[in-house]
Amino acid sequence: MRIKMRALNALMYGALLLAAGAAFAAEPEAGAEEATATNWKAWHADFDIANRDALQRGARNFANYCLGCHSLKYERYSRLGQDLGIPPDLLNKYLVQPGDKDTNYILTSMPAADAEAWFGKTPPDLSLMARARGTDYIYRFLKTFYVDPTRQTGANNLQLPATAMPHVLSELEGLKKPVYKSVEKKNEDGKTTTEQVFDHFEQVAPGRMNAEEYDAFVRDTVAFLSYVGEPAQIQRHSLGIWVVLFLLIFTWLAWLLKKEYWKDVH
């Protein structure tokens, strides 16, 4: 009897821990840095991977602004259409590139040799970029381009300094320049030095979108790249709800069973 009760207790506590973990997994970490215009390193790409409308917009954004240079060599057009609920006729009309079929992988038409000659390096495949660098990295990268006349492309980036990629979204976001402030810091030897620290961006020329619209554009694009990095996560996230419900029901049944066993003991 004692062994059975220990087993029941272990099962019940295990279910409770799993259910609690799922419930609190989405809570923000204590002491997390506040995202401000100055503290760009704390910017987060908050999005809902189950939002099909956002993923569809992200797929459109990628096809219009990214596919000219970047590929998704592990993703087929047909899989994309199936997962995102895009009808075949619309998929072929708006996303499948001329000369491609919906059964093909999503590959750029730019020759690698030309890309290297123009940009100094071949643009990377973005299939696993969200998993390799993280969605926050991509979000900050697309939000921190600025004008830099010293660069061949005329642009630079806070997230990836000296990037070879031009600011292809400048027509949407507009042009901006970084504004720095002087901050005094003490070295280990006690001497005070002055450093130039990023403070905020200043708009130089407007784009076709305002700040809120461009932010939504970037979030949709990042959400799409997150999906491409792990297409099964859409099903996994929806399945997780049922798993938590099962654990809660199992916990209730385990408690009833424990109560029935202890009734005979008392």
Side-chain angles (χ1 to χ4, degrees):
M1 177 64 71
R2 185 173 298 174
I3 295 176
K4 290 182 179 179
M5 291 310 305
R6 288 179 178 174
L8 285 172
N9 285 332
L11 286 172
M12 185 171 67
Y13 294 148
L16 285 171
L17 287 173
L18 287 172
F24 292 102
E27 288 193 357
E29 295 182 5
E33 290 187 87
E34 182 182 359
T36 63
T38 298
N39 189 19
W40 63 270
K41 293 183 179 180
W43 294 352
H44 297 291
D46 299 323
F47 57 85
D48 180 9
I49 196 63
N51 186 340
R52 274 191 171 184
D53 291 338
L55 295 178
Q56 290 174 2
R57 293 192 298 267
R60 175 204 61 193
N61 299 344
F62 182 88
N64 290 339
Y65 291 94
C66 307
L67 188 52
C69 298
H70 299 278
S71 297
L72 302 174
K73 63 181 181 181
Y74 299 123
E75 179 83 359
R76 295 182 188 271
Y77 288 106
S78 56
R79 173 66 188 271
L80 185 153
Q82 179 182 354
D83 288 344
L84 305 191
I86 303 175
D89 56 333
L90 296 180
L91 182 73
N92 283 281
K93 182 178 181 179
Y94 293 110
L95 293 182
V96 178
Q97 299 301 296
D100 278 352
K101 298 179 180 179
D102 58 3
T103 54
N104 290 356
Y105 288 102
I106 304 176
L107 302 176
T108 180
S109 58
M110 177 182 289
D114 290 346
E116 187 171 359
W118 294 335
F119 305 120
K121 59 176 64 176
T122 304
D125 179 88
L126 298 183
S127 300
L128 302 176
M129 186 60 69
R131 299 191 66 179
R133 296 294 183 92
T135 54
D136 290 343
Y137 177 94
I138 301 175
Y139 175 74
R140 292 192 290 261
F141 176 72
L142 295 177
K143 293 268 291 182
T144 58
F145 274 95
Y146 62 89
V147 175
D148 186 352
T150 65
R151 300 290 301 163
Q152 182 179 357
T153 60
N156 211 328
N157 190 275
L158 291 182
Q159 179 65 69
L160 184 60
T163 178
M165 177 176 164
H167 187 12
V168 295
L169 301 179
S170 60
E171 66 163 328
L172 303 179
E173 184 190 23
L175 301 176
K176 60 185 188 291
K177 66 179 182 180
V179 177
Y180 296 90
K181 62 181 179 180
S182 299
V183 176
E184 293 186 350
K185 293 185 178 180
K186 285 189 176 182
N187 298 331
E188 294 181 356
D189 57 2
K191 293 183 178 179
T192 301
T193 58
T194 302
E195 295 183 4
Q196 295 296 312
V197 179
F198 173 81
D199 187 64
H200 64 278
F201 282 116
E202 180 181 303
Q203 197 77 18
V204 176
R208 293 198 289 112
M209 294 181 174
N210 59 36
E212 292 74 18
E213 291 171 338
Y214 182 72
D215 185 71
F217 178 97
V218 171
R219 290 182 190 277
D220 291 342
T221 307
V222 173
F224 172 71
L225 290 176
S226 175
Y227 149 75
V228 171
E230 187 186 354
Q233 66 179 300
I234 298 178
Q235 291 77 18
R236 176 168 57 80
H237 280 240
S238 61
L239 182 63
I241 298 175
W242 296 104
V243 171
V244 172
L245 288 175
F246 167 78
L247 291 174
L248 293 174
I249 294 173
F250 176 79
T251 302
W252 176 68
L253 292 175
W255 178 80
L256 291 178
L257 187 60
K258 176 181 181 294
K259 186 177 180 181
E260 183 65 24
Y261 270 89
W262 274 100
K263 180 181 68 175
D264 297 332
V265 173
H266 290 301

